[in-house]
Amino acid sequence: LVASGQVPYHDFFEVHTPLFYYLAGWLIDPASANFDTVINFRWLSLAAHLAALGLVALLAGQVSRAVGVVALVFMLTDIFSFAWGSLVFLDSFAAPCVLASAIVMARWPDGRRAHVLTGVLLGTAVMLTQKAVFPALAPICLTLVRAPHRPAGGFGRFGGVLLLAAGGLLPCVAVAGLLGTDGVAAFWHHVLVLSATWKARRWPIGEAFLVASYALPAWLLAGQGMVAALRRGSALASLPAPVLTPAVYLATLALGVLALPVVWYEYFIEIGPFVAVMAAIVAVDAARLAGWLRGRLVLLPSAPSEYRYAIGAVVGGTLASLALRLGSAHYSPSPSIVQLVVALLAIGVALVSAARGRRAGQGVAVVAAVLLAASVLPLMYQLTWLDRRGLGSQREAVDLVMRRVDPAATVFDGYSGFGVFRQHAYLYWLLHDETVQMLSPTERGQDIIAALRDRRVQVAIRDEFTRLLEPEVQEFLDQHFQPVAGGPIWVRRD
């Protein structure tokens, strides 16, 4: 729609911030767009996930090379970045910006330019998805905590926050310019006023089961690291910036789980990388306590109890994850015999590598190989999530709509997305259950009928969400449209 010249919020309804649509609109030719365009954006989403993987290695690598290696291994157990890594979520594109901002803050915690750049990166992330507001709180917290410890002549608390705000405003002003006055006013009404009237709450219960089924050891270790950081109290700022920074980012993202009214699994795409970094810091500290690695501890005190907690988290978390996956086909589809054999062989190779590394005194290799062996089963189970039935039916539906609907005509859709490359008949084209609950009876009834009376509406898609609309809408569709081949696509009959 943006590629065709429409303005978000003014010409069509959205519930997210709009930068992605402007950036993506430049990549689409409306005259030649087809189902392959959707697939290309899934490739783009996969590239964003791979970028996040590299940025995790850079962020964790600022603590030590060993932490960087272990963080990469933990990322492989994160189902939100692995099995779903090619789904086009807005958080997929915001996560690299958030991670890049954390790298800047960890590398140059007292730099003026670094604060401005951090603001720009996080402002860009927020303009991609408003859920990035919560990690945007992290550099503010870091600035407030570190202000008394800055060298003489450095900026204070107010100056640091002002630099962050100045950088963050730049992407916001750019997007406001693209929206124009009417678009900004509509954005304020739809994203802020209208959404604020919806009082429903969705806790991420299913996502919690997925975390427990695949990456529980990492989350337990990250939790131990957060507790260890909080125990420092007033001495929190004494932590090295590469350790303190991911801890504060993780804390603000966890706050979002409690504060967001609706938490879906895409939000965990932002959380997962910081869990991996914090878990890696604790795992490497535990390895040093065990005598596997040389070097200084960066987070855990040098006490046997801390080592026992870390080992217990890895062993107990791994066993609990295996039990959940084996006991619930919903969270872990059954693997094939071939997959199990390959997984066992991979585990054997990793353990042999660990044994050789131990004999050679290579502590990093030992830790990485053991953790890699522990991640093989989660990786295998994630592969079973991938749907190999193909996208043929979706491709056929999109192609059918494009054949039936002229470029100058419109299509009425609920939430199927089959009308993605044609203009929509109604402002509220995003008519899933959440949007329907926010609309008045008139908006989801008579206003829709008024839009459907327009003869340019050549197709109506009656998916499960369209059927949530008022009875008079259903009666109008029955009278003026007819199904094609018994599917959800109905064409005008009069």
Side-chain angles (χ1 to χ4, degrees), residues 23 32 60 63 82 91 148 188 195 200 206 244 251 266 275 283 289 294 302 320 361 372 379 447 460 494:
L23 296 174
S32 61
V63 180
F82 185 94
D91 300 72
W188 182 269
S195 296
L244 179 61
E266 55 262 37
V275 170
L289 287 171
R294 297 187 180 91
S302 182
L372 187 60
L379 286 172
D447 287 357
D494 52 4

Side-chain angles (χ1 to χ4, degrees), residues 75-114:
M75 278 293 286
L76 295 179
T77 68
D78 180 17
I79 191 171
F80 303 104
S81 294
F82 185 94
W84 297 339
S86 67
L87 298 183
V88 185
F89 296 136
L90 295 177
D91 300 72
S92 303
F93 303 99
C97 295
V98 173
L99 283 164
S101 73
I103 291 172
V104 172
M105 288 298 291
R107 179 67 179 84
W108 300 284
D110 301 318
R112 287 182 171 83
R113 293 180 181 178

Side-chain angles (χ1 to χ4, degrees), residues 168-220:
L169 282 174
L170 293 177
C172 300
V173 170
V175 169
L178 293 171
L179 287 174
T181 304
D182 292 339
V184 171
F187 166 81
W188 182 269
H189 173 71
H190 289 133
V191 177
L192 299 176
V193 177
L194 185 61
S195 296
T197 63
W198 190 58
K199 304 299 182 182
R201 172 80 205 191
R202 181 193 184 274
W203 291 99
I205 304 299
E207 289 79 355
F209 272 101
L210 286 171
V211 165
S213 298
Y214 290 91
L216 186 58
W219 282 71
L220 292 176

Side-chain angles (χ1 to χ4, degrees), residues 415-459:
Y415 194 50
S416 74
F418 297 153
V420 61
F421 298 118
R422 289 293 183 263
Q423 308 302 319
H424 293 289
Y426 189 46
L427 175 69
Y428 295 102
W429 67 275
L430 193 70
L431 286 169
H432 55 41
D433 49 351
E434 296 174 27
T435 307
V436 169
Q437 291 184 57
M438 291 191 292
L439 302 180
S440 67
T442 300
E443 288 176 309
R444 60 177 184 259
Q446 291 300 318
D447 287 357
I448 290 178
I449 293 176
L452 291 172
R453 292 187 189 279
D454 190 334
R455 301 287 302 180
R456 292 179 301 167
V457 185
Q458 296 179 358
V459 163

Side-chain angles (χ1 to χ4, degrees), residues 365-451:
V366 174
V367 176
V370 171
L371 287 170
L372 187 60
S375 72
V376 170
L377 282 176
L379 286 172
M380 181 198 69
Y381 278 103
Q382 288 182 69
L383 286 171
T384 62
W385 275 86
L386 300 181
D387 191 344
R388 296 176 178 84
R389 291 176 298 177
L391 301 172
S393 60
Q394 291 93 330
R395 180 184 291 273
E396 291 174 3
V398 171
D399 291 344
L400 177 60
V401 171
M402 294 183 69
R403 289 196 304 270
R404 291 278 186 168
V405 181
D406 298 330
T410 60
V411 58
F412 178 74
D413 195 3
Y415 194 50
S416 74
F418 297 153
V420 61
F421 298 118
R422 289 293 183 263
Q423 308 302 319
H424 293 289
Y426 189 46
L427 175 69
Y428 295 102
W429 67 275
L430 193 70
L431 286 169
H432 55 41
D433 49 351
E434 296 174 27
T435 307
V436 169
Q437 291 184 57
M438 291 191 292
L439 302 180
S440 67
T442 300
E443 288 176 309
R444 60 177 184 259
Q446 291 300 318
D447 287 357
I448 290 178
I449 293 176

